[in-house]
């Protein structure tokens, strides 16, 4: 055990090049060999699979019993409730569709916090995309609990909000980016887990800041996709081919991810959703959800965000028109009536 702890501290020093607080030192991943994972959808399934490949002992839960059977068939322990997952795990990761699902998994019947104020897991990580206020509320509830077993100066369990960027492809290949809010010491202790599922992890500050970073990132993404789509359609209407205008964008000040890596015009770029009839990728309904989160957060802090409101209206209409499962870049075709590049 002593050797494991020394190796962990050396590993953290190399990974982070930062100090370890003399007041509260958290050991690294050798302490978190038992990992619980709740939420095995398109993202969670792949993230959990990468943790398994990295050698962590997994315990999983999902409401989809067929998905749980997939894991049990390869020797992974499955549990019927989130509470049971918490009882057998040193650390618990959740990857769920919305704030209401996260609240239910933590506070609902048989939830993670239903065992009273004494918990086994030292760290709870929520990688769902939810509003910062909910993240902060759950973080406070977790911090008010105590640990069943105290070691290495751990006094209380800690929650990190750690939503991701990169989508299903990055979840599959283990190249996600994690945006993490909460205790910095807990972040450093959990960083090896993040790097087992992703390529980058960025510490964003206190509780809720990871969730805030994610909705701000997706707001900027939505607005840039709308701007690029609108400009490309205007160019087509003025007689400029989308491929030509894309070359201009990508070699000038209009260059952005929506033009050079995720172009919305069918026929301009291979390997992106627009090249396969907007299949796969990031569903429009998820973008609409994230824009709702951004809009509500702006209201709560009294900030006027006209582009947020306009983007939310456009993606809400896109979903109502039957395109909710198509990639969000389909706004080019189904809202702006843009033409394919032949």
């Amino acid at each position: 055990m002593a050797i494991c702890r020394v190796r962990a501290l050396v590993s953290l020093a190399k990974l982070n090049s930062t100090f370890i607080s003399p007041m509260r030192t958290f050991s690294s991943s050798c302490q978190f060999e038992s990992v619980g994972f709740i939420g095995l959808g398109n993202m969670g399934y792949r993230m959990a699979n990468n943790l398994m490949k990295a050698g962590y002992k997994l315990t999983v839960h999902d409401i989809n019993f067929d998905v749980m059977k997939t894991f049990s068939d390869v020797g992974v322990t499955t549990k019927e409730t989130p509470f049971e997952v918490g009882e057998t795990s040193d650390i618990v990761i959740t990857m769920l569709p919305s704030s209401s699902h996260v609240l239910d998994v933590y506070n609902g019947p048989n939830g993670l916090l239903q065992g009273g104020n004494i918990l086994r897991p030292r760290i709870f990580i929520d990688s769902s995309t939810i509003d910062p206020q909910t993240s902060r509320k759950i973080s406070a509830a977790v911090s008010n609990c105590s640990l069943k077993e105290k070691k290495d100066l751990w006094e209380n369990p800690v929650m990190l909000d750690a939503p991701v960027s990169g989508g299903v492809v990055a979840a599959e290949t283990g190249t996600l980016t994690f945006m993490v809010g909460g205790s910095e010491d807990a972040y450093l202790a959990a960083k090896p887990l993040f790097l087992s599922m992703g390529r980058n992890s960025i510490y964003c500050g206190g509780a809720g800041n990871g969730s805030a970073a994610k909705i701000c990132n997706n707001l900027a993404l939505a607005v840039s996709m709308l701007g690029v789509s609108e400009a490309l359609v205007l160019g087509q209407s003025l007689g400029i081919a989308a491929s030509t205008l894309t070359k201009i964008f990508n070699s000038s000040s209009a260059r952005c991810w929506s033009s050079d890596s995720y172009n919305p015009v069918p026929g301009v770029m291979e390997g992106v959703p627009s090249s396969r009839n907007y299949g796969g990728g990031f569903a429009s309904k998820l973008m609409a959800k994230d824009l709702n989160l951004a809009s509500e957060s702006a209201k709560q802090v009294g900030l006027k965000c006209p582009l947020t409101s306009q983007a939310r209206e456009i993606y809400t209409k896109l979903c109502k028109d039957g395109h909710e499962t198509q990639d969000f870049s389909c706004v080019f075709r189904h809202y702006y009536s843009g033409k394919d590049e032949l």
Side-chain angles (χ1 to χ4, degrees), residues 292-339:
N292 279 325
L293 292 175
S295 182
E296 290 303 313
S297 294
K299 286 181 182 178
Q300 291 185 16
V301 296
L303 185 65
K304 292 182 179 180
C305 294
L307 293 181
T308 303
S309 300
Q310 186 66 39
R312 182 183 64 172
E313 290 177 9
I314 290 173
Y315 276 101
T316 298
K317 183 180 188 304
L318 203 62
C319 292
K320 288 181 178 179
D321 289 345
H323 309 295
E324 67 274 6
T325 61
Q326 290 188 298
D327 182 75
F328 78 107
S329 61
C330 77
V331 71
F332 169 82
R333 173 187 287 171
H334 297 302
Y335 183 81
Y336 288 108
S337 300
K339 299 178 179 63

mmCIF file of all heavy atoms in Angstrom, residues 292-339:
data_model
loop_
_atom_site.group_PDB
_atom_site.id
_atom_site.type_symbol
_atom_site.label_atom_id
_atom_site.label_comp_id
_atom_site.label_asym_id
_atom_site.label_seq_id
_atom_site.Cartn_x
_atom_site.Cartn_y
_atom_site.Cartn_z
ATOM 1 N N ASN A 292 -31.603 25.575 -23.920
ATOM 2 C CA ASN A 292 -32.555 25.866 -22.841
ATOM 3 C C ASN A 292 -31.825 26.074 -21.521
ATOM 4 O O ASN A 292 -32.153 26.980 -20.747
ATOM 5 C CB ASN A 292 -33.571 24.730 -22.706
ATOM 6 C CG ASN A 292 -34.693 24.827 -23.716
ATOM 7 O OD1 ASN A 292 -35.128 25.921 -24.070
ATOM 8 N ND2 ASN A 292 -35.165 23.696 -24.196
ATOM 9 N N LEU A 293 -30.826 25.238 -21.252
ATOM 10 C CA LEU A 293 -30.029 25.387 -20.034
ATOM 11 C C LEU A 293 -29.296 26.732 -20.019
ATOM 12 O O LEU A 293 -29.261 27.419 -18.998
ATOM 13 C CB LEU A 293 -29.013 24.246 -19.920
ATOM 14 C CG LEU A 293 -29.562 22.843 -19.673
ATOM 15 C CD1 LEU A 293 -28.430 21.827 -19.705
ATOM 16 C CD2 LEU A 293 -30.293 22.768 -18.336
ATOM 17 N N ALA A 294 -28.733 27.105 -21.162
ATOM 18 C CA ALA A 294 -28.023 28.381 -21.255
ATOM 19 C C ALA A 294 -28.978 29.552 -21.049
ATOM 20 O O ALA A 294 -28.664 30.522 -20.339
ATOM 21 C CB ALA A 294 -27.323 28.497 -22.609
ATOM 22 N N SER A 295 -30.158 29.455 -21.654
ATOM 23 C CA SER A 295 -31.144 30.521 -21.541
ATOM 24 C C SER A 295 -31.627 30.687 -20.103
ATOM 25 O O SER A 295 -31.719 31.814 -19.583
ATOM 26 C CB SER A 295 -32.328 30.229 -22.461
ATOM 27 O OG SER A 295 -33.289 31.263 -22.403
ATOM 28 N N GLU A 296 -31.909 29.573 -19.439
ATOM 29 C CA GLU A 296 -32.372 29.631 -18.051
ATOM 30 C C GLU A 296 -31.280 30.153 -17.131
ATOM 31 O O GLU A 296 -31.553 30.919 -16.193
ATOM 32 C CB GLU A 296 -32.836 28.239 -17.591
ATOM 33 C CG GLU A 296 -34.125 27.774 -18.244
ATOM 34 C CD GLU A 296 -35.271 28.747 -18.008
ATOM 35 O OE1 GLU A 296 -35.458 29.166 -16.840
ATOM 36 O OE2 GLU A 296 -35.971 29.106 -18.973
ATOM 37 N N SER A 297 -30.052 29.756 -17.371
ATOM 38 C CA SER A 297 -28.936 30.242 -16.557
ATOM 39 C C SER A 297 -28.752 31.746 -16.733
ATOM 40 O O SER A 297 -28.477 32.462 -15.763
ATOM 41 C CB SER A 297 -27.645 29.497 -16.922
ATOM 42 O OG SER A 297 -27.731 28.131 -16.576
ATOM 43 N N ALA A 298 -28.910 32.219 -17.965
ATOM 44 C CA ALA A 298 -28.791 33.656 -18.221
ATOM 45 C C ALA A 298 -29.877 34.433 -17.485
ATOM 46 O O ALA A 298 -29.620 35.497 -16.912
ATOM 47 C CB ALA A 298 -28.870 33.921 -19.723
ATOM 48 N N LYS A 299 -31.088 33.896 -17.483
ATOM 49 C CA LYS A 299 -32.182 34.552 -16.762
ATOM 50 C C LYS A 299 -31.897 34.635 -15.273
ATOM 51 O O LYS A 299 -32.167 35.654 -14.620
ATOM 52 C CB LYS A 299 -33.491 33.781 -16.992
ATOM 53 C CG LYS A 299 -34.104 33.962 -18.356
ATOM 54 C CD LYS A 299 -35.403 33.175 -18.476
ATOM 55 C CE LYS A 299 -36.014 33.316 -19.856
ATOM 56 N NZ LYS A 299 -37.261 32.515 -19.990
ATOM 57 N N GLN A 300 -31.342 33.563 -14.713
ATOM 58 C CA GLN A 300 -31.098 33.526 -13.276
ATOM 59 C C GLN A 300 -30.063 34.546 -12.831
ATOM 60 O O GLN A 300 -30.080 34.996 -11.683
ATOM 61 C CB GLN A 300 -30.688 32.121 -12.858
ATOM 62 C CG GLN A 300 -31.828 31.111 -12.957
ATOM 63 C CD GLN A 300 -31.447 29.750 -12.427
ATOM 64 O OE1 GLN A 300 -30.462 29.601 -11.717
ATOM 65 N NE2 GLN A 300 -32.232 28.733 -12.779
ATOM 66 N N VAL A 301 -29.139 34.908 -13.727
ATOM 67 C CA VAL A 301 -28.134 35.911 -13.359
ATOM 68 C C VAL A 301 -28.459 37.282 -13.954
ATOM 69 O O VAL A 301 -27.671 38.217 -13.850
ATOM 70 C CB VAL A 301 -26.724 35.464 -13.797
ATOM 71 C CG1 VAL A 301 -26.314 34.211 -13.052
ATOM 72 C CG2 VAL A 301 -26.635 35.248 -15.308
ATOM 73 N N GLY A 302 -29.628 37.405 -14.588
ATOM 74 C CA GLY A 302 -30.074 38.701 -15.105
ATOM 75 C C GLY A 302 -29.304 39.190 -16.313
ATOM 76 O O GLY A 302 -29.152 40.396 -16.506
ATOM 77 N N LEU A 303 -28.843 38.262 -17.155
ATOM 78 C CA LEU A 303 -28.045 38.629 -18.316
ATOM 79 C C LEU A 303 -28.877 38.528 -19.594
ATOM 80 O O LEU A 303 -29.560 37.532 -19.818
ATOM 81 C CB LEU A 303 -26.826 37.702 -18.427
ATOM 82 C CG LEU A 303 -25.817 38.022 -19.529
ATOM 83 C CD1 LEU A 303 -25.137 39.364 -19.262
ATOM 84 C CD2 LEU A 303 -24.775 36.905 -19.623
ATOM 85 N N LYS A 304 -28.835 39.572 -20.417
ATOM 86 C CA LYS A 304 -29.525 39.545 -21.699
ATOM 87 C C LYS A 304 -28.665 38.816 -22.724
ATOM 88 O O LYS A 304 -27.517 39.197 -22.960
ATOM 89 C CB LYS A 304 -29.820 40.968 -22.184
ATOM 90 C CG LYS A 304 -30.842 41.708 -21.331
ATOM 91 C CD LYS A 304 -31.111 43.089 -21.902
ATOM 92 C CE LYS A 304 -32.165 43.829 -21.064
ATOM 93 N NZ LYS A 304 -32.446 45.186 -21.599
ATOM 94 N N CYS A 305 -29.218 37.782 -23.331
ATOM 95 C CA CYS A 305 -28.484 36.973 -24.318
ATOM 96 C C CYS A 305 -29.341 36.767 -25.552
ATOM 97 O O CYS A 305 -29.953 35.702 -25.738
ATOM 98 C CB CYS A 305 -28.084 35.630 -23.708
ATOM 99 S SG CYS A 305 -26.891 35.739 -22.361
ATOM 100 N N PRO A 306 -29.436 37.777 -26.422
ATOM 101 C CA PRO A 306 -30.339 37.668 -27.584
ATOM 102 C C PRO A 306 -29.966 36.546 -28.540
ATOM 103 O O PRO A 306 -30.855 35.909 -29.123
ATOM 104 C CB PRO A 306 -30.204 39.043 -28.257
ATOM 105 C CG PRO A 306 -28.907 39.601 -27.746
ATOM 106 C CD PRO A 306 -28.756 39.078 -26.368
ATOM 107 N N LEU A 307 -28.674 36.276 -28.727
ATOM 108 C CA LEU A 307 -28.289 35.194 -29.632
ATOM 109 C C LEU A 307 -28.677 33.836 -29.052
ATOM 110 O O LEU A 307 -29.057 32.922 -29.796
ATOM 111 C CB LEU A 307 -26.787 35.244 -29.912
ATOM 112 C CG LEU A 307 -26.296 36.459 -30.712
ATOM 113 C CD1 LEU A 307 -24.787 36.372 -30.929
ATOM 114 C CD2 LEU A 307 -27.018 36.567 -32.043
ATOM 115 N N THR A 308 -28.584 33.716 -27.742
ATOM 116 C CA THR A 308 -29.021 32.476 -27.092
ATOM 117 C C THR A 308 -30.500 32.237 -27.353
ATOM 118 O O THR A 308 -30.917 31.125 -27.703
ATOM 119 C CB THR A 308 -28.773 32.543 -25.576
ATOM 120 O OG1 THR A 308 -27.391 32.799 -25.340
ATOM 121 C CG2 THR A 308 -29.167 31.241 -24.891
ATOM 122 N N SER A 309 -31.296 33.282 -27.172
ATOM 123 C CA SER A 309 -32.744 33.161 -27.372
ATOM 124 C C SER A 309 -33.080 32.799 -28.810
ATOM 125 O O SER A 309 -33.934 31.935 -29.067
ATOM 126 C CB SER A 309 -33.436 34.474 -26.987
ATOM 127 O OG SER A 309 -33.207 34.791 -25.631
ATOM 128 N N GLN A 310 -32.397 33.453 -29.762
ATOM 129 C CA GLN A 310 -32.671 33.181 -31.171
ATOM 130 C C GLN A 310 -32.258 31.763 -31.537
ATOM 131 O O GLN A 310 -32.991 31.046 -32.241
ATOM 132 C CB GLN A 310 -31.920 34.182 -32.051
ATOM 133 C CG GLN A 310 -32.244 34.082 -33.539
ATOM 134 C CD GLN A 310 -33.671 34.470 -33.859
ATOM 135 O OE1 GLN A 310 -34.211 35.406 -33.277
ATOM 136 N NE2 GLN A 310 -34.300 33.745 -34.776
ATOM 137 N N ALA A 311 -31.105 31.341 -31.057
ATOM 138 C CA ALA A 311 -30.638 29.983 -31.354
ATOM 139 C C ALA A 311 -31.580 28.942 -30.756
ATOM 140 O O ALA A 311 -31.888 27.920 -31.390
ATOM 141 C CB ALA A 311 -29.221 29.793 -30.820
ATOM 142 N N ARG A 312 -32.045 29.197 -29.552
ATOM 143 C CA ARG A 312 -32.977 28.268 -28.910
ATOM 144 C C ARG A 312 -34.265 28.160 -29.725
ATOM 145 O O ARG A 312 -34.788 27.053 -29.931
ATOM 146 C CB ARG A 312 -33.296 28.732 -27.489
ATOM 147 C CG ARG A 312 -34.224 27.781 -26.739
ATOM 148 C CD ARG A 312 -34.578 28.297 -25.375
ATOM 149 N NE ARG A 312 -35.332 29.548 -25.450
ATOM 150 C CZ ARG A 312 -35.904 30.138 -24.398
ATOM 151 N NH1 ARG A 312 -35.801 29.600 -23.205
ATOM 152 N NH2 ARG A 312 -36.559 31.272 -24.549
ATOM 153 N N GLU A 313 -34.786 29.279 -30.193
ATOM 154 C CA GLU A 313 -36.010 29.260 -30.997
ATOM 155 C C GLU A 313 -35.815 28.451 -32.282
ATOM 156 O O GLU A 313 -36.687 27.673 -32.687
ATOM 157 C CB GLU A 313 -36.431 30.688 -31.338
ATOM 158 C CG GLU A 313 -36.948 31.482 -30.145
ATOM 159 C CD GLU A 313 -37.277 32.919 -30.514
ATOM 160 O OE1 GLU A 313 -37.268 33.226 -31.736
ATOM 161 O OE2 GLU A 313 -37.526 33.725 -29.602
ATOM 162 N N ILE A 314 -34.664 28.620 -32.916
ATOM 163 C CA ILE A 314 -34.409 27.921 -34.182
ATOM 164 C C ILE A 314 -34.323 26.418 -33.956
ATOM 165 O O ILE A 314 -34.946 25.633 -34.700
ATOM 166 C CB ILE A 314 -33.112 28.450 -34.829
ATOM 167 C CG1 ILE A 314 -33.337 29.888 -35.343
ATOM 168 C CG2 ILE A 314 -32.663 27.539 -35.969
ATOM 169 C CD1 ILE A 314 -32.083 30.574 -35.843
ATOM 170 N N TYR A 315 -33.585 26.005 -32.932
ATOM 171 C CA TYR A 315 -33.434 24.566 -32.708
ATOM 172 C C TYR A 315 -34.706 23.937 -32.143
ATOM 173 O O TYR A 315 -34.994 22.757 -32.406
ATOM 174 C CB TYR A 315 -32.216 24.286 -31.828
ATOM 175 C CG TYR A 315 -30.957 24.237 -32.664
ATOM 176 C CD1 TYR A 315 -30.093 25.329 -32.719
ATOM 177 C CD2 TYR A 315 -30.660 23.122 -33.435
ATOM 178 C CE1 TYR A 315 -28.963 25.299 -33.515
ATOM 179 C CE2 TYR A 315 -29.539 23.085 -34.242
ATOM 180 C CZ TYR A 315 -28.686 24.178 -34.287
ATOM 181 O OH TYR A 315 -27.576 24.141 -35.092
ATOM 182 N N THR A 316 -35.486 24.709 -31.413
ATOM 183 C CA THR A 316 -36.791 24.206 -30.959
ATOM 184 C C THR A 316 -37.706 23.954 -32.151
ATOM 185 O O THR A 316 -38.382 22.914 -32.226
ATOM 186 C CB THR A 316 -37.445 25.198 -29.991
ATOM 187 O OG1 THR A 316 -36.613 25.354 -28.836
ATOM 188 C CG2 THR A 316 -38.812 24.705 -29.545
ATOM 189 N N LYS A 317 -37.711 24.889 -33.099
ATOM 190 C CA LYS A 317 -38.518 24.715 -34.314
ATOM 191 C C LYS A 317 -38.022 23.527 -35.127
ATOM 192 O O LYS A 317 -38.824 22.738 -35.660
ATOM 193 C CB LYS A 317 -38.476 25.981 -35.168
ATOM 194 C CG LYS A 317 -39.366 25.899 -36.417
ATOM 195 C CD LYS A 317 -39.307 27.161 -37.239
ATOM 196 C CE LYS A 317 -40.346 27.128 -38.364
ATOM 197 N NZ LYS A 317 -40.205 25.939 -39.248
ATOM 198 N N LEU A 318 -36.717 23.377 -35.227
ATOM 199 C CA LEU A 318 -36.134 22.266 -35.969
ATOM 200 C C LEU A 318 -36.629 20.934 -35.413
ATOM 201 O O LEU A 318 -36.973 20.017 -36.167
ATOM 202 C CB LEU A 318 -34.612 22.353 -35.889
ATOM 203 C CG LEU A 318 -33.785 21.675 -36.973
ATOM 204 C CD1 LEU A 318 -34.061 22.285 -38.346
ATOM 205 C CD2 LEU A 318 -32.306 21.785 -36.640
ATOM 206 N N CYS A 319 -36.684 20.861 -34.084
ATOM 207 C CA CYS A 319 -37.154 19.625 -33.436
ATOM 208 C C CYS A 319 -38.643 19.410 -33.679
ATOM 209 O O CYS A 319 -39.085 18.284 -33.962
ATOM 210 C CB CYS A 319 -36.860 19.681 -31.944
ATOM 211 S SG CYS A 319 -35.096 19.610 -31.543
ATOM 212 N N LYS A 320 -39.426 20.477 -33.575
ATOM 213 C CA LYS A 320 -40.868 20.366 -33.797
ATOM 214 C C LYS A 320 -41.187 19.961 -35.234
ATOM 215 O O LYS A 320 -42.215 19.335 -35.495
ATOM 216 C CB LYS A 320 -41.551 21.692 -33.459
ATOM 217 C CG LYS A 320 -41.604 21.997 -31.971
ATOM 218 C CD LYS A 320 -42.309 23.313 -31.706
ATOM 219 C CE LYS A 320 -42.407 23.598 -30.207
ATOM 220 N NZ LYS A 320 -43.065 24.897 -29.925
ATOM 221 N N ASP A 321 -40.288 20.300 -36.151
ATOM 222 C CA ASP A 321 -40.493 19.957 -37.562
ATOM 223 C C ASP A 321 -40.056 18.538 -37.883
ATOM 224 O O ASP A 321 -40.075 18.127 -39.056
ATOM 225 C CB ASP A 321 -39.736 20.947 -38.457
ATOM 226 C CG ASP A 321 -40.374 22.335 -38.452
ATOM 227 O OD1 ASP A 321 -41.532 22.453 -38.004
ATOM 228 O OD2 ASP A 321 -39.705 23.300 -38.874
ATOM 229 N N GLY A 322 -39.646 17.785 -36.859
ATOM 230 C CA GLY A 322 -39.349 16.371 -37.054
ATOM 231 C C GLY A 322 -37.886 16.016 -37.249
ATOM 232 O O GLY A 322 -37.568 14.896 -37.661
ATOM 233 N N HIS A 323 -36.980 16.933 -36.944
ATOM 234 C CA HIS A 323 -35.550 16.680 -37.189
ATOM 235 C C HIS A 323 -34.757 16.548 -35.890
ATOM 236 O O HIS A 323 -33.541 16.739 -35.886
ATOM 237 C CB HIS A 323 -34.975 17.810 -38.047
ATOM 238 C CG HIS A 323 -35.764 18.104 -39.281
ATOM 239 N ND1 HIS A 323 -35.898 17.182 -40.304
ATOM 240 C CD2 HIS A 323 -36.499 19.197 -39.640
ATOM 241 C CE1 HIS A 323 -36.669 17.700 -41.259
ATOM 242 N NE2 HIS A 323 -37.052 18.914 -40.872
ATOM 243 N N GLU A 324 -35.448 16.198 -34.819
ATOM 244 C CA GLU A 324 -34.791 16.194 -33.506
ATOM 245 C C GLU A 324 -33.672 15.169 -33.381
ATOM 246 O O GLU A 324 -32.730 15.356 -32.611
ATOM 247 C CB GLU A 324 -35.820 15.969 -32.389
ATOM 248 C CG GLU A 324 -36.480 14.602 -32.374
ATOM 249 C CD GLU A 324 -37.684 14.513 -33.281
ATOM 250 O OE1 GLU A 324 -37.964 15.478 -34.018
ATOM 251 O OE2 GLU A 324 -38.363 13.462 -33.254
ATOM 252 N N THR A 325 -33.739 14.082 -34.151
ATOM 253 C CA THR A 325 -32.696 13.056 -34.036
ATOM 254 C C THR A 325 -31.546 13.262 -35.014
ATOM 255 O O THR A 325 -30.518 12.584 -34.917
ATOM 256 C CB THR A 325 -33.286 11.648 -34.258
ATOM 257 O OG1 THR A 325 -33.845 11.574 -35.571
ATOM 258 C CG2 THR A 325 -34.363 11.343 -33.220
ATOM 259 N N GLN A 326 -31.714 14.180 -35.947
ATOM 260 C CA GLN A 326 -30.633 14.457 -36.890
ATOM 261 C C GLN A 326 -29.592 15.369 -36.242
ATOM 262 O O GLN A 326 -29.883 16.119 -35.310
ATOM 263 C CB GLN A 326 -31.178 15.100 -38.154
ATOM 264 C CG GLN A 326 -32.007 14.150 -39.016
ATOM 265 C CD GLN A 326 -32.364 14.774 -40.355
ATOM 266 O OE1 GLN A 326 -33.043 15.791 -40.418
ATOM 267 N NE2 GLN A 326 -31.913 14.158 -41.438
ATOM 268 N N ASP A 327 -28.377 15.297 -36.760
ATOM 269 C CA ASP A 327 -27.301 16.134 -36.235
ATOM 270 C C ASP A 327 -27.673 17.617 -36.319
ATOM 271 O O ASP A 327 -28.366 18.042 -37.241
ATOM 272 C CB ASP A 327 -26.018 15.878 -37.025
ATOM 273 C CG ASP A 327 -24.852 16.689 -36.498
ATOM 274 O OD1 ASP A 327 -24.314 16.330 -35.430
ATOM 275 O OD2 ASP A 327 -24.500 17.696 -37.147
ATOM 276 N N PHE A 328 -27.166 18.377 -35.354
ATOM 277 C CA PHE A 328 -27.558 19.789 -35.275
ATOM 278 C C PHE A 328 -27.123 20.601 -36.491
ATOM 279 O O PHE A 328 -27.657 21.686 -36.749
ATOM 280 C CB PHE A 328 -27.016 20.408 -33.981
ATOM 281 C CG PHE A 328 -25.558 20.766 -34.008
ATOM 282 C CD1 PHE A 328 -25.161 22.090 -34.075
ATOM 283 C CD2 PHE A 328 -24.571 19.796 -33.941
ATOM 284 C CE1 PHE A 328 -23.818 22.439 -34.100
ATOM 285 C CE2 PHE A 328 -23.232 20.116 -33.952
ATOM 286 C CZ PHE A 328 -22.846 21.450 -34.036
ATOM 287 N N SER A 329 -26.175 20.092 -37.294
ATOM 288 C CA SER A 329 -25.770 20.809 -38.502
ATOM 289 C C SER A 329 -26.833 20.756 -39.596
ATOM 290 O O SER A 329 -26.739 21.485 -40.593
ATOM 291 C CB SER A 329 -24.449 20.234 -39.043
ATOM 292 O OG SER A 329 -24.586 18.866 -39.398
ATOM 293 N N CYS A 330 -27.884 19.938 -39.383
ATOM 294 C CA CYS A 330 -28.964 19.862 -40.379
ATOM 295 C C CYS A 330 -29.748 21.166 -40.457
ATOM 296 O O CYS A 330 -30.610 21.324 -41.325
ATOM 297 C CB CYS A 330 -29.898 18.689 -40.083
ATOM 298 S SG CYS A 330 -31.075 18.961 -38.733
ATOM 299 N N VAL A 331 -29.451 22.106 -39.559
ATOM 300 C CA VAL A 331 -30.085 23.420 -39.629
ATOM 301 C C VAL A 331 -29.825 24.069 -40.982
ATOM 302 O O VAL A 331 -30.658 24.851 -41.484
ATOM 303 C CB VAL A 331 -29.580 24.315 -38.462
ATOM 304 C CG1 VAL A 331 -28.121 24.726 -38.669
ATOM 305 C CG2 VAL A 331 -30.452 25.530 -38.272
ATOM 306 N N PHE A 332 -28.698 23.756 -41.591
ATOM 307 C CA PHE A 332 -28.375 24.284 -42.927
ATOM 308 C C PHE A 332 -29.455 23.911 -43.931
ATOM 309 O O PHE A 332 -29.931 24.746 -44.706
ATOM 310 C CB PHE A 332 -27.009 23.755 -43.381
ATOM 311 C CG PHE A 332 -26.701 24.025 -44.838
ATOM 312 C CD1 PHE A 332 -26.204 25.258 -45.229
ATOM 313 C CD2 PHE A 332 -26.916 23.048 -45.806
ATOM 314 C CE1 PHE A 332 -25.922 25.512 -46.578
ATOM 315 C CE2 PHE A 332 -26.637 23.291 -47.146
ATOM 316 C CZ PHE A 332 -26.145 24.524 -47.524
ATOM 317 N N ARG A 333 -29.854 22.636 -43.917
ATOM 318 C CA ARG A 333 -30.838 22.152 -44.901
ATOM 319 C C ARG A 333 -32.270 22.438 -44.464
ATOM 320 O O ARG A 333 -33.091 22.904 -45.264
ATOM 321 C CB ARG A 333 -30.664 20.643 -45.125
ATOM 322 C CG ARG A 333 -31.742 20.037 -46.004
ATOM 323 C CD ARG A 333 -31.626 18.518 -46.067
ATOM 324 N NE ARG A 333 -30.485 18.085 -46.867
ATOM 325 C CZ ARG A 333 -30.062 16.834 -46.932
ATOM 326 N NH1 ARG A 333 -30.675 15.881 -46.219
ATOM 327 N NH2 ARG A 333 -29.037 16.500 -47.702
ATOM 328 N N HIS A 334 -32.595 22.165 -43.219
ATOM 329 C CA HIS A 334 -34.004 22.142 -42.809
ATOM 330 C C HIS A 334 -34.517 23.463 -42.237
ATOM 331 O O HIS A 334 -35.732 23.638 -42.134
ATOM 332 C CB HIS A 334 -34.221 21.017 -41.802
ATOM 333 C CG HIS A 334 -33.958 19.660 -42.359
ATOM 334 N ND1 HIS A 334 -34.624 19.164 -43.465
ATOM 335 C CD2 HIS A 334 -33.088 18.683 -41.981
ATOM 336 C CE1 HIS A 334 -34.191 17.956 -43.727
ATOM 337 N NE2 HIS A 334 -33.255 17.631 -42.861
ATOM 338 N N TYR A 335 -33.643 24.374 -41.895
ATOM 339 C CA TYR A 335 -34.109 25.700 -41.459
ATOM 340 C C TYR A 335 -33.811 26.746 -42.537
ATOM 341 O O TYR A 335 -34.662 27.557 -42.885
ATOM 342 C CB TYR A 335 -33.452 26.105 -40.144
ATOM 343 C CG TYR A 335 -33.952 27.445 -39.624
ATOM 344 C CD1 TYR A 335 -35.161 27.525 -38.939
ATOM 345 C CD2 TYR A 335 -33.242 28.610 -39.849
ATOM 346 C CE1 TYR A 335 -35.639 28.746 -38.477
ATOM 347 C CE2 TYR A 335 -33.708 29.837 -39.392
ATOM 348 C CZ TYR A 335 -34.906 29.904 -38.712
ATOM 349 O OH TYR A 335 -35.378 31.113 -38.263
ATOM 350 N N TYR A 336 -32.562 26.697 -43.074
ATOM 351 C CA TYR A 336 -32.162 27.697 -44.061
ATOM 352 C C TYR A 336 -32.437 27.269 -45.503
ATOM 353 O O TYR A 336 -32.260 28.066 -46.429
ATOM 354 C CB TYR A 336 -30.672 28.011 -43.914
ATOM 355 C CG TYR A 336 -30.352 28.815 -42.673
ATOM 356 C CD1 TYR A 336 -29.698 28.244 -41.601
ATOM 357 C CD2 TYR A 336 -30.701 30.161 -42.593
ATOM 358 C CE1 TYR A 336 -29.397 28.964 -40.467
ATOM 359 C CE2 TYR A 336 -30.404 30.913 -41.465
ATOM 360 C CZ TYR A 336 -29.746 30.308 -40.403
ATOM 361 O OH TYR A 336 -29.452 31.041 -39.284
ATOM 362 N N SER A 337 -32.856 26.019 -45.699
ATOM 363 C CA SER A 337 -33.121 25.476 -47.041
ATOM 364 C C SER A 337 -31.907 25.554 -47.945
ATOM 365 O O SER A 337 -31.999 25.856 -49.157
ATOM 366 C CB SER A 337 -34.299 26.220 -47.697
ATOM 367 O OG SER A 337 -35.474 26.079 -46.910
ATOM 368 N N GLY A 338 -30.737 25.269 -47.360
ATOM 369 C CA GLY A 338 -29.511 25.250 -48.139
ATOM 370 C C GLY A 338 -29.465 24.073 -49.094
ATOM 371 O O GLY A 338 -30.150 23.062 -48.906
ATOM 372 N N LYS A 339 -28.656 24.201 -50.148
ATOM 373 C CA LYS A 339 -28.565 23.184 -51.195
ATOM 374 C C LYS A 339 -27.300 22.346 -51.044
ATOM 375 O O LYS A 339 -26.259 22.845 -50.618
ATOM 376 C CB LYS A 339 -28.574 23.854 -52.575
ATOM 377 C CG LYS A 339 -29.845 24.653 -52.864
ATOM 378 C CD LYS A 339 -29.737 25.325 -54.223
ATOM 379 C CE LYS A 339 -31.000 26.096 -54.550
ATOM 380 N NZ LYS A 339 -31.239 27.201 -53.597
#
